[in-house]
Amino acid sequence: MSTGKLKIEWAAQYMPVLAAIKKQFAKEKPFDGITIGMALHVEAKTANLVSTLAAGGAVVHITGCNPLSTQDDVAEALNHVKNVHCYAKRACTVEEYYDAINKVLDAKPVITIDDGMDLIHYIHTKRRDLLKKVIGGCEETTTGIHRLRAMEAEGKLEFPVVAVNDTPMKHFFDNVHGTGESVLSSIMITTNTLIAGKYVVVAGYGYCGRGLARKAHGLGAKVVVTEIDPRRALEAHMDGFMVMTMEQAAAIGDIFITTTGNTSIIAEKHFKKLKEGAILSNAGHFNVEIDIEWLQKHADKTVKRDGIDTYMLKGKAVHVLAEGRLVNLATPKGMGHPIEVMDLSFALQALCTQYIAKNGKKLKAGVHEVPNEIDEDVANLKLSSLGLSIDKLSKEQQKYSCSWDIGT
């Protein structure tokens, strides 16, 4: 048995929610006659989502959404799954990356599933001939949602897309626990350095930043948060973390993790203030948060190790992990979010894809929220798989919670 298939089977045993949905899809075939185009991180957990959609009758064409996040053995194994075609390759060039995007789009998908919005962007800019065929899409991550909302605001988004990222199940589990654990584990296994006692600087205190700050604190780190939003900055302060600007943090930080989805979070003015041996990493989607181009131009020397590029700046070593790309997936041993977390996220993705298949033609172009019943269904399936029970409102409680005339 191939190593890729072994990885897929290992992940499957920890994905009971997706397994339940796969069983349902295999029976009902909601995607019969439908071609789905996907650009996601091609690794074992993703492979189980792909096989779930294929079990539902879909023909799936998939590629990667990051040049360094594909696991080649998993990509190879996917090509042996009926009705699945995978074009992803690790360490591909930018040209190869977009060639693979084009191969997915050559299949003329009617539903898209994105992590970062590259498929949707390409359809709207380079492959507009496909627009009339697409009934809708799903977007997995925060960065992709930001791009989609910008498109929508300019009136440029021409089909409906479900914002899978913007839902309680995704925020509370994928963003907080998935990002928090996977980023720190990837940093530790890549560098073999200690977290305890170090100043860990987290840029951004959204759901991902919150998770990282809490997990790093739990490992004994002295956590610094940088923010642009005064409310989030206050929240971080009240949660017990140091709050300061990145210029201030640059002088004391040992390990830096960006989570903003924006550009030039750590740049020239910060590089000059960094301590010897500072470790820089990015937990946002694209490799724009750390100004790698400046480092490449101004370093006296660059030393490359597995997953670590060391830039010598006037005798001072600055270490960048995974070329500034998504650190929990792009390091040599990066495995991405824990399996149980992605079981929930991909269950949402599968059910939202089914929702688009049923309703896409009736929805207006634009960004759409995940229906609340889908989010609750996934939570209930997970509780059931854990053998946990929760209370239900009585008729009296239902009436009370909906009334306005019951006073003191």
Side-chain angles (χ1 to χ4, degrees):
M1 188 180 293
S2 71
T3 58
K5 190 170 182 182
L6 285 169
K7 287 179 181 178
I8 295 167
E9 289 185 353
W10 174 264
Q13 67 183 321
Y14 294 102
M15 302 181 86
V17 179
L18 196 62
I21 293 170
K22 184 176 183 179
K23 186 176 180 180
Q24 174 193 329
F25 282 2
K27 181 180 178 181
E28 298 175 1
K29 300 292 182 185
F31 306 117
D32 259 353
I34 288 178
T35 299
I36 298 175
M38 305 174 71
L40 298 178
H41 302 294
V42 178
E43 43 82 49
K45 301 175 289 287
T46 306
N48 280 292
L49 170 63
V50 172
S51 67
T52 298
L53 299 174
V59 175
V60 180
H61 293 257
I62 181 170
T63 188
C65 63
N66 186 299
L68 288 177
S69 65
T70 293
Q71 294 180 9
D72 286 332
D73 54 352
V74 172
E76 190 273 335
L78 272 176
N79 277 315
H80 294 281
V81 177
K82 185 179 179 182
N83 291 330
V84 175
H85 309 271
C86 183
Y87 312 107
K89 171 187 165 187
R90 187 177 179 87
C92 59
T93 64
V94 173
E95 183 179 355
E96 289 172 328
Y97 177 84
Y98 283 107
D99 282 346
I101 291 280
N102 268 315
K103 286 178 181 176
V104 170
L105 297 179
D106 285 343
K108 299 180 180 179
V110 297
I111 295 176
T112 64
I113 300 177
D114 262 302
D115 189 322
M117 208 204 81
D118 278 349
L119 275 183
I120 291 173
H121 177 264
Y122 223 70
I123 290 171
H124 281 77
T125 57
K126 307 289 187 182
R127 301 293 301 271
R128 292 187 58 82
D129 56 300
L130 300 177
L131 277 169
K132 290 182 180 179
K133 293 183 177 294
V134 178
I135 62 174
C138 295
E139 170 56 51
E140 171 77 12
T141 198
T142 308
T143 299
I145 302 298
H146 289 333
R147 297 178 78 195
L148 283 168
R149 293 201 186 280
M151 280 186 79
E152 182 180 44
E154 294 180 19
K156 298 290 180 65
L157 183 56
E158 298 188 39
F159 55 76
V161 183
V162 176
V164 176
N165 185 76
D166 289 1
T167 178
M169 285 297 292
K170 191 76 161 55
H171 284 160
F172 299 156
F173 303 101
D174 184 295
N175 297 158
V176 172
H177 295 287
T179 300
E181 291 198 15
S182 65
V183 165
L184 290 171
S185 65
S186 187
I187 290 171
M188 289 187 285
I189 201 168
T190 301
T191 65
N192 198 27
T193 59
L194 190 66
I195 298 291
K198 287 197 170 74
Y199 283 97
V200 173
V201 180
V202 178
Y205 203 64
Y207 289 104
C208 294
R210 290 173 195 142
L212 272 165
R214 293 169 193 168
K215 304 284 185 181
H217 175 72
L219 288 169
K222 292 172 283 189
V223 178
V224 177
V225 171
T226 71
E227 250 299 342
I228 59 167
D229 187 308
R231 295 154 297 189
R232 289 183 176 179
L234 278 172
E235 182 185 7
H237 172 72
M238 297 296 185
D239 285 344
F241 305 122
M242 290 174 274
V243 176
M244 60 186 76
T245 67
M246 183 58 80
E247 280 198 71
Q248 293 170 320
I252 65 169
D254 297 298
I255 299 171
F256 294 76
I257 309 166
T258 60
T259 72
T260 70
N262 213 324
T263 187
S264 302
I265 304 304
I266 305 177
E268 177 183 359
K269 62 183 178 181
H270 309 119
F271 296 139
K272 294 177 178 179
K273 295 186 176 184
L274 292 175
K275 292 160 57 174
E276 161 70 23
I279 295 171
L280 311 183
S281 63
N282 170 38
H285 189 79
F286 294 118
N287 60 331
V288 297
E289 303 203 29
I290 303 167
D291 191 349
I292 304 297
E293 189 174 335
W294 189 93
L295 287 171
Q296 291 172 337
K297 286 181 180 178
H298 293 87
D300 304 318
K301 184 174 73 170
T302 303
V303 179
K304 290 186 175 289
R305 302 175 180 85
D306 278 354
I308 308 170
D309 292 342
T310 299
Y311 297 93
M312 300 303 300
L313 302 175
K314 296 182 179 179
K316 177 177 68 179
V318 174
H319 309 299
V320 177
L321 306 186
E323 300 177 12
R325 297 190 182 276
L326 198 55
V327 70
N328 60 336
L329 277 156
T331 58
K333 293 186 178 179
M335 297 295 289
H337 288 5
I339 301 168
E340 294 91 340
V341 167
M342 292 313 298
D343 184 29
L344 303 178
S345 295
F346 283 155
L348 282 171
Q349 193 72 269
L351 292 178
C352 287
T353 306
Q354 181 186 36
Y355 174 76
I356 283 291
K358 288 181 177 179
N359 302 288
K361 292 180 180 178
K362 297 179 284 186
L363 297 173
K364 291 181 179 179
V367 180
H368 294 260
E369 301 300 322
V370 174
N372 189 60
E373 58 268 24
I374 289 179
D375 207 47
E376 287 192 352
D377 282 349
V378 171
N380 280 319
L381 283 168
K382 183 60 176 177
L383 286 171
S384 178
S385 74
L386 294 170
L388 302 177
S389 302
I390 59 174
D391 289 319
K392 293 183 179 180
L393 292 175
S394 67
K395 289 183 179 180
E396 179 187 8
Q397 289 170 326
Q398 289 175 2
K399 181 180 178 182
Y400 185 86
S401 65
C402 296
S403 68
W404 60 269
D405 60 345
I406 301 175
T408 304

